[in-house]
Amino acid sequence: MSPSDLNEQAASGSPENASGSKFGTNVFRKIMPGVLVALVIALASQFIAEHYGAPAMLLALLIGISLNFLSEDIRCQAGIAFSARTLLRLGVALLGLRISFDMVSALGWPVVGLVVAGVLLTIAFGLAVSRLFGFRYRFAFLSAGSVAICGASAAMAIAAILPKDERSEDRLVFTVVGVTILSTLAMILYPVLSDQLALSDRAAGIYLGATIHDVAQVVGAGFSVSQEAGETATLVKLLRVAMLAPIVMTALIVLRMTVGSSASGNAGMPLVPAFVVGFVALATLNSVVALPAVITELSADLSRWLLLLAIAAVGLKTVPKDLMKVGKAAAGLLIAETVFLAALVAIGLLVLLPGLQGVS
């Protein structure tokens, strides 16, 4: 290489660095329009939710659906896909910082057993009865998992590992809409039901945390009863959220054993998805290290915003008329799973665990 070549390279920078920088800039420019559209929807949804009390997740989804024509704009496609996939998985991973092993000792093994049984049996129930509603394992697991674990967040995490087909987005959107509506109804009705069952504040918190789908509605319902009920409900709900990682990992292993990775459309996915590894790692970190409250609160807020962006992007990718194809049977299955979980936990509290502290 001649001195003149060296001088020219020094002036322009290393070819490798220049190409890497250019690639990063191009990727950023490619995804930014779609991400900004999802962000605007998320901001609008949060604003309306804070001022009028509607669920932000549901609002983001519905606004996204109303603007779904933007997904056909070539400038927005890459960013919308990035938000619906990558930002979703990052948001799920950050949920891990809300979990710690101390929750088990704080709740006690009887309550832990009831919550775990509620999650597993609800998923088993959904898989068992899905044929009666005309569905196979994909929608059965998606709907039952979202009802059993943590509503819209679980639905999006489960959808990320299920085999893809032309109906995948429709099933996900319908599930998110369904569980959000049912969760909002439960937030209103379940505190009244807890009172009718003569549960004390602690038992009411256990019931609300073990049965209502979404975290926000659990908090709203719990603190509408009392401070103790709200704190207990939140803790129980977080235990259900902690079930997300083992359920997703188990499901992925079963899918690979029965369907096969290439047939399922997950050939490029590792045995344990990175977002599940991140969830477990952050939960472990939060359990063994006393993290400052500011970090856990910031991660919780960031996770919520990332999931809000992701669900807005899912809405943007959804064609409204396609939702009608899911039909009344899907709503019936979601309702059946919700009623099953509510009845199961009530029986567990009143019959199987009558000596549980907090039951009147």
Side-chain angles (χ1 to χ4, degrees):
M1 183 178 289
S2 67
S4 60
D5 292 334
L6 290 173
N7 291 336
E8 182 179 349
Q9 181 173 318
S12 60
S14 169
E16 291 81 0
N17 292 339
S19 61
S21 176
K22 185 177 180 180
F23 175 77
T25 301
N26 288 340
V27 170
F28 180 80
R29 289 178 177 174
K30 188 176 181 181
I31 68 172
M32 191 48 55
V35 173
L36 287 176
V37 170
L39 177 60
V40 170
I41 294 173
L43 289 169
S45 303
Q46 186 62 33
F47 178 84
I48 297 171
E50 290 177 353
H51 287 78
Y52 299 99
M57 280 278 193
L58 180 59
L59 288 170
L61 185 59
L62 294 178
I63 295 173
I65 292 174
S66 70
L67 298 173
N68 78 297
F69 62 89
L70 290 173
S71 64
E72 300 176 2
D73 189 321
I74 192 171
R75 294 169 297 179
C76 297
Q77 287 176 349
I80 291 173
F82 176 82
S83 299
R85 179 179 175 87
T86 305
L87 296 186
L88 159 66
R89 297 182 178 199
L90 182 57
V92 172
L94 285 175
L95 284 174
L97 280 179
R98 303 186 67 177
I99 311 300
S100 72
F101 302 150
D102 293 337
M103 291 191 304
V104 175
S105 58
L107 291 171
W109 286 109
V111 177
V112 172
L114 177 63
V115 173
V116 173
V119 170
L120 297 179
L121 291 176
T122 300
I123 293 175
F125 172 80
L127 293 171
V129 304
S130 61
R131 294 281 185 173
L132 300 178
F133 292 86
F135 295 103
R136 300 181 65 185
Y137 75 93
R138 294 182 189 179
F139 185 70
F141 180 49
L142 178 65
S143 60
S146 63
V147 167
I149 304 173
C150 55
S153 301
M156 291 189 288
I158 291 170
I161 59 103
L162 284 177
K164 299 294 186 292
D165 61 18
E166 69 279 0
R167 303 294 301 280
S168 295
E169 294 291 345
D170 298 338
R171 285 192 291 262
L172 173 58
V173 170
F174 189 90
T175 301
V176 171
V177 171
V179 296
T180 304
I181 292 174
L182 289 171
S183 188
T184 302
L185 291 174
M187 179 180 66
I188 299 170
L189 298 176
Y190 284 11
V192 178
L193 179 59
S194 299
D195 184 62
Q196 293 298 313
L197 293 174
L199 300 179
S200 69
D201 287 353
R202 181 172 184 268
I206 294 170
Y207 183 74
L208 298 174
T211 55
I212 298 177
H213 310 327
D214 286 309
V215 176
Q217 281 85 338
V218 167
V219 173
F223 283 100
S224 71
V225 175
S226 70
Q227 181 75 20
E228 182 184 6
E231 293 173 352
T232 304
T234 302
L235 198 57
V236 171
K237 181 60 184 178
L238 290 178
L239 179 59
R240 287 170 68 193
V241 175
M243 294 288 291
L244 181 61
I247 292 294
V248 168
M249 284 192 290
T250 301
L252 190 54
I253 292 171
V254 171
L255 283 172
R256 286 179 177 271
M257 293 175 60
T258 57
V259 181
S261 60
S262 59
S264 67
N266 291 329
M269 182 178 287
L271 181 60
V272 181
F275 73 94
V276 176
V277 174
F279 181 101
V280 174
L282 291 176
T284 303
L285 176 65
N286 192 39
S287 300
V288 300
V289 178
L291 296 174
V294 64
I295 293 179
T296 55
E297 291 172 3
L298 181 62
S299 69
D301 288 339
L302 181 57
S303 173
R304 180 171 55 82
W305 278 105
L306 288 172
L307 292 176
L308 203 55
L309 273 165
I311 200 62
V314 169
L316 285 165
K317 295 170 64 178
T318 303
V319 179
K321 63 182 178 65
D322 290 342
L323 287 178
M324 304 306 295
K325 299 176 184 177
V326 183
K328 296 179 180 178
L333 180 57
L334 278 170
I335 293 171
E337 291 160 347
T338 298
V339 171
F340 175 84
L341 178 60
L344 180 68
V345 175
I347 292 171
L349 281 172
L350 296 174
V351 179
L352 301 180
L353 299 174
L356 183 66
Q357 181 182 354
V359 179
S360 301

